[in-house]
Amino acid sequence: MKFAVIITLKKDVLDPQGKVIEQTLQNMGINSLKNLRQGKYIEIELNESDEKKAKSAIENMCKKLLVNLIIEQYKIIKI
Amino acid sequence: MKFAVIITLKKDVLDPQGKVIEQTLQNMGINSLKNLRQGKYIEIELNESDEKKAKSAIENMCKKLLVNLIIEQYKIIKI
């Protein structure tokens, strides 16, 4: 069973890396850009056939290691 | 108009960062883990109402700056 975890900074947290990418794109002449934010993407494959159990295992991984819950939020998607 | 760009390493490219995360999770006692790969996630907001134009602008950004097409692949999703 395969899942994608998308980890992004919370809305009110400053994203300096995203700002740098945004400015670079603007300096390259792209004017339609309004906003850009960067995050992490993790693809996880599990040996687990029960979707509910698999999802809770991934929730557990997020809380224990992958996500800094103070400044980040996450979304789990089955793929 | 808002898009998400997901950038991942191509299937045959080694992902050392993903491997480290995978091993750490296994050392923490998570046994159901089969495979883990890490990638980047970028959320882009554009001042552009035409979806086709917006998508091609983002393709352009990917090819010119965001993605290393030799080792990475990307996916654009409207959100």
Side-chain angles (χ1 to χ4, degrees):
Chain A
M1 207 167 252
K2 217 170 172 184
F3 292 87
V5 180
I6 292 171
I7 303 166
T8 48
L9 287 166
K10 285 183 184 168
K11 216 170 52 100
D12 298 327
V13 179
L14 195 69
D15 173 19
Q17 209 176 344
K19 273 280 160 288
V20 169
I21 299 173
E22 192 179 326
Q23 274 165 25
T24 310
L25 285 168
Q26 277 161 350
N27 293 343
M28 286 166 73
I30 293 162
N31 304 313
S32 56
L33 202 61
K34 198 171 156 196
N35 194 29
L36 187 150
R37 295 198 43 101
Q38 219 226 6
K40 277 177 279 185
Y41 175 84
I42 300 174
E43 234 173 59
I44 303 173
E45 217 178 323
L46 286 183
N47 277 327
E48 174 68 70
S49 52
D50 182 30
E51 188 173 340
K52 224 172 164 183
K53 270 190 204 163
K55 248 191 180 157
S56 90
I58 288 182
E59 285 262 354
N60 191 24
M61 291 179 209
C62 286
K63 282 176 190 154
K64 285 205 178 139
L65 181 75
L66 305 176
V67 183
N68 176 353
L69 288 166
I70 300 168
I71 55 165
E72 292 172 329
Q73 60 196 5
Y74 65 96
K75 213 165 46 183
I76 299 169
I77 302 160
K78 191 177 179 305
I79 50 175
Chain B
M1 207 164 254
K2 216 170 171 183
F3 292 87
V5 181
I6 291 171
I7 303 167
T8 48
L9 287 167
K10 285 183 185 168
K11 215 170 51 100
D12 297 326
V13 179
L14 194 70
D15 173 19
Q17 210 176 344
K19 272 281 160 284
V20 170
I21 299 173
E22 192 180 325
Q23 274 165 23
T24 310
L25 285 168
Q26 277 161 350
N27 292 344
M28 286 165 74
I30 294 162
N31 303 314
S32 56
L33 203 61
K34 196 170 156 196
N35 193 30
L36 187 151
R37 300 209 22 115
Q38 218 225 9
K40 278 177 279 183
Y41 175 84
I42 301 174
E43 233 173 62
I44 304 172
E45 217 179 323
L46 287 182
N47 279 325
E48 173 69 69
S49 52
D50 183 28
E51 188 173 337
K52 222 171 164 184
K53 270 189 203 165
K55 247 191 181 160
S56 89
I58 288 182
E59 285 263 354
N60 191 26
M61 289 179 211
C62 286
K63 281 177 192 157
K64 285 204 179 142
L65 181 74
L66 303 176
V67 184
N68 177 353
L69 289 167
I70 300 169
I71 55 165
E72 292 172 328
Q73 60 197 5
Y74 65 96
K75 211 164 49 184
I76 299 169
I77 301 160
K78 193 175 178 304
I79 51 174

